[in-house]
Amino acid sequence: MKKKGSPPSIRGHKSLVTSIWNSTEPLVSVIIPVQNERDRIEGVIWNARMIHPSTEVIVVANGTTDGSHQVAERMGAKVLYYPYVLGHDVGRSVGSQQARGEILLFLDGDLPLPFRLLRPFVKAVMDGADLALNGFVAPDQRRRVHPVVLSKYALNIILNRPDLKGASMTAVPHALNRRALLEIGHENLSVPPKALAIAIEQGLRIETIANIPIERWNRKRGKRPWMRELVVGDHLEAIHWFLQRKGNRGGYWDGMRVREAVFMPADQEGEIMTVHGEGRMGEEERIGEREIINRGEFDPTISVEKETESEDALNVNLE
């Protein structure tokens, strides 16, 4: 017996349609990387084509050995076939290069999400968003938060977008417009957290849309520690990119630390800024503060108050 709330069967789609028609002048390009998902790809393609009347479906079949690419071709999707495995998320970069639509929607070949859940992402971009993310985040109230979940929250906080919580381009579905694609770059879609960091840095309008618990639809798999290491590494790469642009503190204030003091002889203490009176800032410090700002080590657009909301730096509220 089929469980309540379980995904629709793929066989059901076969009885409804055997092929799709790809628009010759698409508004929406749906990009679907796939590797050995013969029993699911048909449902994914069918739902993708139902998102908008002017839609093209692009399947990036890489390293597949079960005929998934043949199923996609038979259904009428545009298939980019690679006999070897491209690696995680590289299919997004490859598919985006071939996309002709003004809106790009990214899915996975093993997630037959109903089109009614996918349409809000396209509509959000049509209404003005540059990037529409899945607002659902994995549970974060556990005693031990999963490293991937923690990485997503940490990156968004570092990027000064705590409002995004754990939303990420790592997860599907998500959609973006062509402007966002040009700002981010095709190649950077292969590292989704880096792509998100670039989007935020470029000032793109980023919104979280629906809250789709994709684990409900995803294929049950065993433990994959390599996936955890890969995704956490992606987030570290994004942070590295951000620090290269913003300095080793990412634009966050360093306080009034006189780091040079450790290298100064004691007899040159007059050159070191000191505090005068009862906690008041002396003229030397005010000059030093201006110099710090001018050197770009302090970003006045970042509120210091936000950094001091909690006395315990480790007491991060992930709600």
Side-chain angles (χ1 to χ4, degrees), residues 158-191:
I158 290 170
L159 297 174
N160 202 31
R161 285 298 305 269
D163 58 296
L164 294 178
K165 298 184 178 180
S168 172
M169 289 181 70
T170 297
V172 293
H174 62 264
L176 51 83
N177 59 21
R178 190 152 292 275
R179 176 201 170 196
L181 178 63
L182 294 176
E183 293 283 355
I184 294 171
H186 300 280
E187 68 283 359
N188 290 316
L189 295 178
S190 297
V191 186

Side-chain angles (χ1 to χ4, degrees), residues 216-256:
R216 171 189 166 193
W217 307 87
N218 210 343
R219 185 190 298 278
K220 300 300 180 183
R221 304 179 189 272
K223 292 184 178 180
R224 299 184 294 170
W226 62 268
M227 176 65 74
R228 177 182 61 195
E229 292 190 9
L230 185 147
V231 176
V232 171
D234 284 353
H235 284 78
L236 288 172
E237 184 174 340
I239 294 172
H240 177 68
W241 175 89
F242 182 69
L243 293 180
Q244 283 184 315
R245 292 181 61 86
K246 289 288 190 178
N248 59 3
R249 290 184 62 83
Y252 283 84
W253 192 36
D254 192 24
M256 294 308 299

Side-chain angles (χ1 to χ4, degrees), residues 24-81:
T24 56
E25 296 182 359
L27 172 67
V28 180
S29 296
V30 183
I31 299 165
I32 311 170
V34 61
Q35 181 186 351
N36 293 336
E37 299 293 350
R38 182 186 179 92
D39 60 338
R40 289 197 165 205
I41 188 61
E42 191 174 68
V44 178
I45 293 173
W46 184 84
N47 278 290
R49 185 59 186 85
M50 295 292 291
I51 292 172
H52 190 275
S54 299
T55 297
E56 67 171 351
V57 180
I58 301 173
V59 173
V60 184
N62 63 108
T64 188
T65 58
D66 67 349
S68 297
H69 63 294
Q70 296 171 334
V71 174
E73 287 176 343
R74 185 169 63 248
M75 287 198 68
K78 179 177 181 178
V79 177
L80 307 177
Y81 175 69

Side-chain angles (χ1 to χ4, degrees), residues 12-287:
H13 295 311
K14 277 190 175 183
S15 64
L16 294 174
V17 64
T18 57
S19 64
I20 65 168
W21 174 76
N22 257 357
S23 175
T24 56
E25 296 182 359
L27 172 67
V28 180
S29 296
V30 183
I31 299 165
I32 311 170
V34 61
Q35 181 186 351
N36 293 336
E37 299 293 350
R38 182 186 179 92
D39 60 338
R40 289 197 165 205
I41 188 61
E42 191 174 68
V44 178
I45 293 173
W46 184 84
N47 278 290
R49 185 59 186 85
M50 295 292 291
I51 292 172
H52 190 275
S54 299
T55 297
E56 67 171 351
V57 180
I58 301 173
V59 173
V60 184
N62 63 108
T64 188
T65 58
D66 67 349
S68 297
H69 63 294
Q70 296 171 334
V71 174
E73 287 176 343
R74 185 169 63 248
M75 287 198 68
K78 179 177 181 178
V79 177
L80 307 177
Y81 175 69
Y82 294 83
Y84 46 87
V85 178
L86 296 177
H88 207 62
D89 296 322
V90 175
R92 299 183 186 182
S93 294
V94 172
S96 70
Q97 289 181 311
Q98 298 295 321
R100 295 175 297 155
E102 288 298 317
I103 300 173
L104 284 68
L105 177 69
F106 294 88
L107 305 178
D108 279 345
D110 62 347
L111 285 173
L113 296 169
F115 60 85
R116 61 180 176 80
L117 298 180
L118 301 174
R119 284 175 175 169
F121 292 88
V122 172
K123 185 178 185 304
V125 176
M126 292 177 67
D127 290 344
D130 295 311
L131 175 59
L133 301 176
N134 183 3
F136 176 81
V137 293
D140 53 28
Q141 303 302 316
R142 298 172 180 171
R143 187 169 183 178
R144 295 190 62 183
V145 181
H146 193 281
V148 170
V149 176
L150 189 59
S151 296
K152 293 176 180 179
Y153 275 95
L155 178 62
N156 289 337
I157 291 171
I158 290 170
L159 297 174
N160 202 31
R161 285 298 305 269
D163 58 296
L164 294 178
K165 298 184 178 180
S168 172
M169 289 181 70
T170 297
V172 293
H174 62 264
L176 51 83
N177 59 21
R178 190 152 292 275
R179 176 201 170 196
L181 178 63
L182 294 176
E183 293 283 355
I184 294 171
H186 300 280
E187 68 283 359
N188 290 316
L189 295 178
S190 297
V191 186
K194 181 180 178 181
L196 179 60
I198 295 172
I200 292 174
E201 176 67 11
Q202 294 299 320
L204 298 181
R205 179 177 166 183
I206 303 171
E207 299 180 0
T208 54
I209 309 303
N211 296 299
I212 303 177
I214 59 175
E215 76 276 1
R216 171 189 166 193
W217 307 87
N218 210 343
R219 185 190 298 278
K220 300 300 180 183
R221 304 179 189 272
K223 292 184 178 180
R224 299 184 294 170
W226 62 268
M227 176 65 74
R228 177 182 61 195
E229 292 190 9
L230 185 147
V231 176
V232 171
D234 284 353
H235 284 78
L236 288 172
E237 184 174 340
I239 294 172
H240 177 68
W241 175 89
F242 182 69
L243 293 180
Q244 283 184 315
R245 292 181 61 86
K246 289 288 190 178
N248 59 3
R249 290 184 62 83
Y252 283 84
W253 192 36
D254 192 24
M256 294 308 299
R257 294 192 184 112
V258 186
R259 295 175 183 251
E260 296 82 0
V262 71
F263 302 109
M264 288 184 178
D267 59 359
Q268 296 182 12
E269 62 179 7
E271 299 180 21
I272 303 175
M273 294 179 292
T274 57
V275 176
H276 301 274
E278 298 180 357
R280 292 178 297 177
M281 182 183 293
E283 181 60 23
E284 294 91 341
E285 285 185 299
R286 286 194 290 271
I287 294 173

